[in-house]
Amino acid sequence: RLTPLAQQYSLIALRPLNEKCLTLACNSLDCDIISLDLSSRLPFHFKFKTLAAAIARGIRLEICYGPGVTGSGAEARRNLIGNAASLIRATRGRGIIISSEAKRALGVRAPFDVVNLACVWGLTQEKGKEALCDEARKVVALAGMKRRSWRGIVDVVYGGEKPVKEGRETKDKSGNRNKNSGKKDERNEGGLKRKADTGTESNAESQAPLSKRELKRRAKRAKLQGSGADDNSTASPIPDGG
């Protein structure tokens, strides 16, 4: 019967009435909280081994302070204090959550009042605060992991929707534009480098020392050019025979 209930509710709490049911709930039943009626006299004693098995499985033990506060009687208050103290002693103060179980608003107490009440039962102030705040949050988180995750290990997380195709196209276009501009810049840089290289090569040629053979060739060429110019200047026009 617990399987269909687990699909309908976020948290499942069991209230065993005898030691056999308590052992079964701690060891094998799939539940989130074991809530005991501590205002009545229990016919069994709490054992550390049984309760430790439940805590190791992620089950929390609930103490309800409502019956001891709302005027249920001196006997209910006495049973609540004695049973809560024995439960805290058996669990070493671990895996306990505190709730009100109040049917009216007058049965609810402030958080610091509940922490002081837990100190009367045997918890320290830090443990009482954890039982009221942290442990209750852990119960909800573990219950959600059991129902959403795979075997309580791998959780399925919503990763969001896929981006729109238009956004992809604009991104691709912008990426191509960036690539083309990069190519143009590379070409321009290459052209500038080539111009600079040609200028440096011509300067290097002009500044390089000439060999003796090159000097003789240039002197001979200049001499021939000078003699050709003199011949052209001294030559006279030939008169016509007629």
Side-chain angles (χ1 to χ4, degrees):
R1 295 176 60 182
L2 293 177
T3 303
L5 291 176
Q7 298 176 357
Q8 297 177 3
Y9 298 96
S10 300
L11 294 173
I12 296 178
L14 301 179
R15 175 160 286 184
L17 300 177
N18 51 36
E19 188 175 3
K20 185 177 180 181
C21 293
L22 178 62
T23 305
L24 185 63
C26 292
N27 293 325
S28 59
L29 292 181
D30 189 10
C31 62
D32 302 313
I33 300 171
I34 295 177
S35 179
L36 299 168
D37 186 11
L38 302 180
S39 61
S40 61
R41 187 177 181 85
L42 298 176
F44 55 88
H45 297 284
F46 297 113
K47 297 179 181 179
F48 172 75
K49 187 176 181 180
T50 304
L51 300 178
I55 296 170
R57 293 176 57 211
I59 300 173
R60 296 296 183 267
L61 304 171
E62 184 182 21
I63 298 176
C64 302
Y65 64 84
V69 175
T70 55
S72 300
E75 186 178 357
R77 190 178 296 110
R78 183 170 56 251
N79 291 332
L80 176 63
I81 294 172
N83 291 329
S86 61
L87 180 64
I88 291 169
R89 195 182 306 112
T91 58
R92 310 294 194 269
R94 296 177 300 173
I96 292 176
I97 61 174
I98 301 174
S99 62
S100 64
E101 200 184 13
K103 298 179 181 179
R104 295 181 298 173
L106 294 175
V108 181
R109 293 294 181 267
F112 285 102
D113 294 339
V114 178
V115 171
N116 293 331
L117 188 60
C119 293
V120 174
W121 296 336
L123 283 175
T124 60
Q125 193 170 5
E126 291 78 10
K127 289 286 186 180
K129 189 176 180 181
E130 288 180 2
L132 190 63
C133 302
D134 297 340
E135 294 295 333
R137 183 182 59 82
K138 288 179 182 178
V139 169
V140 178
L142 289 174
M145 282 288 292
K146 286 180 182 178
R147 286 156 180 78
R148 292 195 310 267
S149 63
W150 180 75
R151 295 185 180 180
I153 300 172
V154 181
D155 192 8
V156 180
V157 181
Y158 177 70
E161 298 179 356
K162 294 182 179 180
V164 188
K165 293 182 179 180
E166 294 179 357
R168 288 183 179 178
E169 291 177 358
T170 53
K171 287 181 181 178
D172 294 336
K173 289 180 180 178
S174 62
N176 293 331
R177 287 175 184 174
N178 292 331
K179 290 180 181 179
N180 294 331
S181 61
K183 289 180 180 179
K184 289 180 181 179
D185 294 337
E186 289 177 358
R187 289 175 183 175
N188 293 332
E189 289 178 0
L192 292 173
K193 287 181 180 178
R194 288 173 185 172
K195 289 180 181 179
D197 293 339
T198 53
T200 53
E201 288 176 0
S202 60
N203 293 330
E205 289 178 357
S206 61
Q207 293 178 1
L210 300 175
S211 61
K212 293 181 179 180
R213 183 177 295 179
E214 186 66 24
L215 290 173
K216 288 181 180 180
R217 286 179 182 176
R218 290 188 179 186
K220 188 175 182 180
R221 191 182 302 165
K223 189 175 181 181
L224 290 174
Q225 289 177 358
S227 62
D230 294 338
D231 293 339
N232 292 329
S233 61
T234 54
S236 59
I238 300 172
D240 294 335

